[in-house]
Amino acid sequence: MVPDHYAVVYTEDARRIFVIISETLGDFVLTKDCSVSECTCIGCTLFSASILYDEEEFPILEMEQAQPVGENLVAYPFTDEGEVFLLSLKRELYKDYKGTLNKEKLDEIFRVPDAVLLIKNEADGTFTHTYVSPTVEGRVISKGCRAAPHCPCVGCRIVDMFYSERPGRYIPAVDTTAARASSEGELVLPVFEGEEIISKMLNRDPSIRHSFSSGLFDNSPLEKMFYELAFLDLHLYPQHPVGKYRLDFAIPDKRIAIELDGHEYHKTKFQRTHDAKRDRWLFGQGWNVLRFTGSEIYKDLDRCIDEICELVGVERLNRV
Ligand SMILES: [Zn+2]
Ligand SMILES: [Zn+2]
């Protein structure tokens, strides 16, 4: 069997270059600055560090299976356990560290994700998403996904999801730059941030309502409330610009605008005329505008989402 990932080392006098050859992550230079003797570069660290797994220590590289692959070139295959490190190597996390890499720093660099999203390519060309976390174990969360842009499935939306730890700071929940392939050929996307939020969301924990999108809808509790539930079934873009207008929510690939009229009673005649004009202009551009009043949303949010799903032609999977 040919391993998928190698560290190829070029040696020349007192210098070494480490290159990672990986079928799934692509090839990249790990370090050009190895000084060979008493060196603590990331390449030398890979040679000497081990990973603790189930109370057993495993090397990262198969030193005994080293193979010469050219003049001054030797290839070292990664061990199965050591493959975990590839994600972090690709993300170049080690670059933030100067000087000696100790065990503590290594643990931090070679961080194991809190959860993973597995994407399997089925024989019929569609994709099945499975979420694996300590509380969601291994649940299929969407089937029949075509992985098209703006795919409305929950799996694709988790891929696109941003996690907000505090207002103004957004982190992608899924680290797509650290994707790798599993031995079964599934795409493995690690989740380093927001695992708790995603798991709660998938477990329909009501406490999620107020922590999921903090900072996104500070000025509109109505939009926030709508988004936090509708997100599970509809691929929504908040504050989506079209021409000179900004839609409360848009499903761009279907050209559907969703407007929530929070303060209907207080609207002036001017505002109502403005809304009507805007709806007509959007209609001319091929957009359909679905309007909901604040009282409809507050009274029965589930029903509003049911209605949108039906109009949009999306099967509703997630109710509270
Ligand atoms: Zn070195
Ligand atoms: Zn999808």
Side-chain angles (χ1 to χ4, degrees), residues 167-184:
R169 182 168 185 255
Y170 302 109
I171 312 160
V174 172
D175 190 346
T176 51
T177 63
R180 68 180 172 96
S182 75
S183 47
E184 280 87 52

Side-chain angles (χ1 to χ4, degrees), residues 76-88:
Y76 300 84
F78 276 80
T79 60
D80 288 348
E81 293 78 15
E83 275 184 23
V84 158
F85 292 7
L86 277 167
L87 300 178
S88 319

Side-chain angles (χ1 to χ4, degrees), residues 34-35 39 41 44:
C34 176
S35 54
C39 181
C41 82
C44 289

Side-chain angles (χ1 to χ4, degrees), residues 125-140:
T126 66
F127 296 88
T128 301
H129 300 245
T130 306
Y131 193 73
V132 186
S133 83
T135 59
V136 187
E137 289 173 6
R139 190 189 306 166
V140 171

Side-chain angles (χ1 to χ4, degrees), residues 126-173:
T126 66
F127 296 88
T128 301
H129 300 245
T130 306
Y131 193 73
V132 186
S133 83
T135 59
V136 187
E137 289 173 6
R139 190 189 306 166
V140 171
I141 53 168
S142 53
K143 276 186 161 193
C145 164
R146 303 217 164 261
H150 316 306
C151 173
C153 83
V154 176
C156 285
R157 266 166 294 129
I158 288 177
V159 173
D160 290 344
M161 184 178 147
F162 277 79
Y163 166 65
S164 175
E165 188 179 62
R166 57 170 195 267
R169 182 168 185 255
Y170 302 109
I171 312 160

Side-chain angles (χ1 to χ4, degrees), residues 40-289:
T40 56
C41 82
I42 188 68
C44 289
T45 304
L46 280 192
F47 272 176
S48 56
S50 57
I51 178 171
L52 194 66
Y53 188 73
D54 270 353
E55 297 190 0
E56 224 181 306
E57 281 207 29
F58 297 91
I60 297 167
L61 298 174
E62 301 272 18
M63 301 303 287
E64 278 154 34
Q65 287 182 33
Q67 277 183 29
V69 287
E71 202 179 335
N72 300 331
L73 280 177
V74 182
Y76 300 84
F78 276 80
T79 60
D80 288 348
E81 293 78 15
E83 275 184 23
V84 158
F85 292 7
L86 277 167
L87 300 178
S88 319
L89 296 175
K90 177 77 180 177
R91 294 165 84 215
E92 301 193 332
L93 293 177
Y94 56 87
K95 286 203 167 159
D96 295 339
Y97 296 105
K98 304 276 178 257
T100 316
L101 287 162
N102 59 25
K103 176 87 177 85
E104 204 173 62
K105 283 175 179 171
L106 275 175
D107 286 346
E108 204 179 321
I109 295 169
F110 300 134
R111 189 174 162 198
V112 176
D114 297 330
V116 289
L117 183 66
L118 302 172
I119 305 177
K120 187 179 174 202
N121 196 350
E122 304 287 358
D124 65 358
T126 66
F127 296 88
T128 301
H129 300 245
T130 306
Y131 193 73
V132 186
S133 83
T135 59
V136 187
E137 289 173 6
R139 190 189 306 166
V140 171
I141 53 168
S142 53
K143 276 186 161 193
C145 164
R146 303 217 164 261
H150 316 306
C151 173
C153 83
V154 176
C156 285
R157 266 166 294 129
I158 288 177
V159 173
D160 290 344
M161 184 178 147
F162 277 79
Y163 166 65
S164 175
E165 188 179 62
R166 57 170 195 267
R169 182 168 185 255
Y170 302 109
I171 312 160
V174 172
D175 190 346
T176 51
T177 63
R180 68 180 172 96
S182 75
S183 47
E184 280 87 52
E186 292 163 316
L187 184 67
V188 182
L189 297 172
V191 176
F192 292 103
E193 300 290 343
E195 184 282 313
E196 204 188 335
I197 303 283
I198 296 171
S199 293
K200 277 188 177 178
M201 194 175 78
L202 293 171
N203 287 330
R204 290 171 217 167
D205 182 331
S207 74
I208 206 66
R209 286 290 181 83
H210 304 293
S211 47
F212 160 54
S213 61
S214 60
L216 274 177
F217 301 102
D218 282 348
N219 300 318
S220 177
L222 183 67
E223 286 178 24
K224 183 172 157 70
M225 179 180 166
F226 173 79
Y227 185 72
E228 289 180 356
L229 184 59
F231 166 91
L232 284 168
D233 290 291
L234 296 159
H235 198 147
L236 297 170
Y237 287 73
Q239 293 296 312
H240 184 75
V242 178
K244 62 175 180 173
Y245 300 114
R246 221 162 248 285
L247 310 175
D248 285 347
F249 294 98
I251 306 173
D253 57 328
K254 296 184 190 274
R255 294 210 162 209
I256 287 175
I258 298 164
E259 293 290 302
L260 310 181
D261 295 325
H263 306 287
E264 199 59 20
Y265 314 115
H266 307 298
K267 269 193 182 171
T268 61
K269 193 178 166 197
F270 172 78
Q271 280 167 325
R272 273 196 288 269
T273 309
H274 174 265
D275 284 351
K277 258 190 176 168
R278 191 175 108 124
D279 288 359
R280 288 200 300 273
W281 182 84
L282 285 165
F283 183 80
Q285 304 296 309
W287 285 78
N288 283 305
V289 182

